[in-house]
Amino acid sequence: QRDLLSAIYGTSKAEVGRQVNVLRISIPVNDPHISYKELLAVTEYICKVIPILHGYSGYSLLFDMRIDDECPEMWTDVARIALRHPGYDVFDYDAVRYDVADKLSAVNWLTLLGSDLARSFIENDRSKYLTNRGIEILPIGDNLLIRAGLLPQVGDVNRGDNLPLYSEVWKALEPMACVDHR
């Protein structure tokens, strides 16, 4: 497994398994077995036990690269959904290879900052940009977990719901974000 991961991600065998660079936690929209409290608890637990650089948790639309071959016009629909509903994390399974390892790739309902990014967040006083009382910063060891509201949201730009809490979190974290991430 280490040889395979080293080949896929271009890392040395010694580095594989030491630190997760991006962690995505996605939830089904209507799963009666998963509550938001459970999602928060799982995310907090993961943040405590896995050394991560960053991560995020919330609603996602998952796609497979086979769309390109089988039905390329579907990407038009994917783009329409992604642009209309900013709370969805729209990605395909192969997108991880485009992540920049030491920068933040996205924010969502829950945004996790590993110790390096948490330290940068604190040292650069980025919390001053989080003025809405609906945003909570939860320290977890050396990490930070930023929660944008009580529940995850998908928003709807057509109805004027641009997810202002998510936008505020993004503005606070923007200097730590990837610029080369699709």
Side-chain angles (χ1 to χ4, degrees):
Q1 182 182 21
R2 287 183 184 273
D3 291 335
L4 177 62
L5 289 172
S6 295
I8 292 171
Y9 298 112
T11 60
S12 70
K13 290 180 190 178
E15 289 295 313
V16 173
R18 290 187 56 212
Q19 189 170 49
V20 176
N21 66 342
V22 178
L23 175 67
R24 290 181 180 126
I25 301 176
S26 304
I27 55 175
V29 176
N30 290 320
D31 189 335
H33 305 293
I34 298 174
S35 74
Y36 301 116
K37 288 180 182 179
E38 290 171 323
L39 178 64
L40 178 60
V42 165
T43 304
E44 288 176 338
Y45 175 76
I46 288 170
C47 198
K48 286 178 189 173
V49 299
I50 297 177
I52 61 166
L53 292 171
H54 61 90
Y56 53 98
S57 179
Y59 289 121
S60 295
L61 294 173
L62 304 164
F63 296 95
D64 194 309
M65 289 302 289
R66 289 175 292 178
I67 289 175
D68 288 342
D69 299 328
E70 296 173 8
C71 195
E73 64 276 4
M74 281 187 67
W75 285 113
T76 303
D77 295 329
V78 170
R80 190 176 300 120
I81 292 169
L83 292 172
R84 179 172 178 177
H85 303 287
Y88 278 129
D89 176 32
V90 180
F91 65 92
D92 63 65
Y93 291 107
D94 289 339
V96 71
R97 67 180 174 207
Y98 298 107
D99 287 346
V100 179
D102 62 346
K103 298 287 184 182
L104 192 76
S105 62
V107 303
N108 207 295
W109 175 51
L110 303 175
T111 303
L112 296 86
L113 302 178
S115 57
D116 291 344
L117 289 174
R119 187 171 31 262
S120 178
F121 180 84
I122 292 166
E123 288 172 358
N124 293 303
D125 195 23
R126 299 307 297 177
S127 63
K128 69 183 175 191
Y129 296 97
L130 300 176
T131 59
N132 191 300
R133 292 181 188 261
I135 298 172
E136 188 175 5
I137 302 171
L138 306 165
I140 301 174
D142 292 337
N143 303 329
L144 291 176
L145 177 62
I146 301 172
R147 184 172 68 181
L150 294 176
L151 301 172
Q153 301 174 43
V154 294
D156 189 335
V157 173
N158 291 354
R159 296 182 179 170
D161 184 7
N162 295 321
L163 300 179
L165 296 181
Y166 289 36
S167 296
E168 192 170 313
V169 171
W170 177 253
K171 284 293 183 192
L173 299 175
E174 193 172 23
M176 295 179 258
C178 298
V179 292
D180 185 23
H181 185 275
R182 61 182 193 153

